[in-house]
Amino acid sequence: MTKANSPTPLYHRVYAVMRERIVNGYYPDNVPVPSEAELSDSFGVSRITIRKAMEMLSAEGLITRMRGRGTFVTDRAQQSALNRAVVSNINGLFSYLNTVGQSTRLKVISLDRGEAPPRICAQMGIAPTTELIRSVRLRELDKRPYSLSMAYLLPEIGAGLTRQDLASTNMIDLVQREGAVVEQVEQVLTATLADEDAAELLQVPIGAPLMRVNRFFFDDKMVPFYAAEILYCADRYEYRVSLKREQGRDFHLDGSQPG
């Protein structure tokens, strides 16, 4: 299937491939997925390995085993509320963050003061030595790591935050409670790899692919006061954007405006 010296167990590699197939609609929901024997031949692994992978998928609620009928993909596998389209306005983003908050569980890793990474300082337009309020939190979905988030806030916004606040409330709600007005949000999505710390917290191998989302929040004077960096497990996160045609604003290759 893959290199024999891979640090990832065989059953977990089978699970990852099967999960990717399921969430992408590879298997119809009204047709049983291949049997353990068929999957064993397909992946070139033992049936015990396939069985462990299928048990993980079943525990996650992605498949249902029916005695005498076979194994089927569940409805929830392709209808996760966390994978819905995000519209390009602040209210849409806040609604999405609220959905994530209601669907996941927070674990506070740290809360302290110190410098942010240089790339964060550059985006916020502050000196690399600027002292910021820093927090690290882990989100869990279905009792498994879903995302790892790092927050960097100006002291006038984040000084009053406590670990108790961070364990129960979305950061965007906390900063607005502290009096911040969110006028604009800039968001950047990139692919990255798990370092030692991220790998341990997200329970993935070092070097595993991750999706990195950076969000920068600006106040009513267009001054950035809060930067968020979120790492998502690549097999558990999907980001969608819905693009709509603006009536009367069709694009023309010759540069002319619509008549």
Side-chain angles (χ1 to χ4, degrees):
M1 176 182 174
T2 52
K3 293 182 179 180
N5 60 354
S6 171
T8 307
L10 268 176
Y11 69 86
H12 195 280
R13 281 178 269 165
V14 173
Y15 155 79
V17 173
M18 290 294 293
R19 191 184 193 284
E20 185 74 8
R21 289 177 177 179
I22 289 170
V23 299
N24 286 320
Y26 187 89
Y27 299 114
D29 55 11
N30 59 344
V31 177
V33 301
S35 66
E36 289 183 359
E38 291 171 324
L39 290 172
S40 176
D41 290 340
S42 174
F43 283 100
V45 298
S46 70
R47 292 186 63 171
I48 294 177
T49 298
I50 296 296
R51 189 170 299 119
K52 290 189 68 173
M54 299 302 280
E55 287 172 354
M56 292 176 66
L57 294 169
S58 178
E60 196 173 340
L62 296 178
I63 59 173
T64 301
R65 296 179 174 183
M66 300 181 182
R67 186 179 298 275
R69 294 189 58 198
T71 301
F72 293 81
V73 173
T74 60
D75 291 340
R76 62 166 294 201
Q78 295 159 17
Q79 297 178 357
S80 170
L82 303 187
N83 286 346
R84 66 185 184 180
V86 178
V87 297
S88 57
N89 60 57
I90 288 179
N91 289 336
L93 174 62
F94 285 5
S95 176
Y96 170 75
L97 295 177
N98 183 61
T99 297
V100 172
Q102 293 177 354
S103 305
T104 58
R105 179 184 178 188
L106 278 169
K107 178 181 179 181
V108 180
I109 307 301
S110 65
L111 173 63
D112 60 13
R113 287 174 176 256
E115 300 173 1
R119 65 177 182 279
I120 298 294
C121 295
Q123 288 288 337
M124 294 184 71
I126 59 177
T129 55
T130 303
E131 183 178 79
L132 300 173
I133 306 300
R134 308 181 302 189
S135 77
V136 179
R137 299 189 294 177
L138 181 73
R139 283 192 181 275
E140 294 182 341
L141 175 65
D142 297 330
K143 299 182 180 180
R144 292 180 53 231
Y146 174 70
S147 67
L148 179 64
S149 61
M150 286 68 69
Y152 306 94
L153 301 104
L154 296 180
E156 54 265 34
I157 299 298
L161 299 182
T162 66
R163 292 180 71 99
Q164 289 75 19
D165 291 330
L166 296 174
S168 59
T169 309
N170 287 340
M171 184 65 79
I172 192 60
D173 294 325
L174 292 175
V175 299
Q176 290 183 105
R177 188 194 69 183
E178 295 298 313
V181 176
V182 182
E183 181 66 26
Q184 181 172 310
V185 181
E186 293 185 359
Q187 182 166 270
V188 180
L189 284 77
T190 55
T192 188
L193 300 176
D195 61 14
E196 293 182 7
D197 293 334
E200 180 179 359
L201 291 169
L202 291 172
Q203 297 178 18
V204 297
I206 295 174
L210 301 175
M211 175 64 75
R212 182 171 65 201
V213 178
N214 285 105
R215 296 190 182 107
F216 299 92
F217 294 77
F218 296 77
D219 62 18
D220 53 355
K221 297 180 181 178
M222 294 307 294
V223 175
F225 64 89
Y226 161 37
E229 181 167 282
I230 309 101
L231 299 175
Y232 293 94
C233 298
D235 64 340
R236 305 203 75 198
Y237 180 75
E238 178 179 292
Y239 184 82
R240 303 180 189 177
V241 177
S242 178
L243 304 176
K244 297 183 179 180
R245 183 185 298 276
E246 185 177 356
Q247 188 172 4
R249 300 287 295 177
D250 291 342
F251 176 77
H252 294 267
L253 292 176
D254 63 1
S256 63
Q257 296 297 314

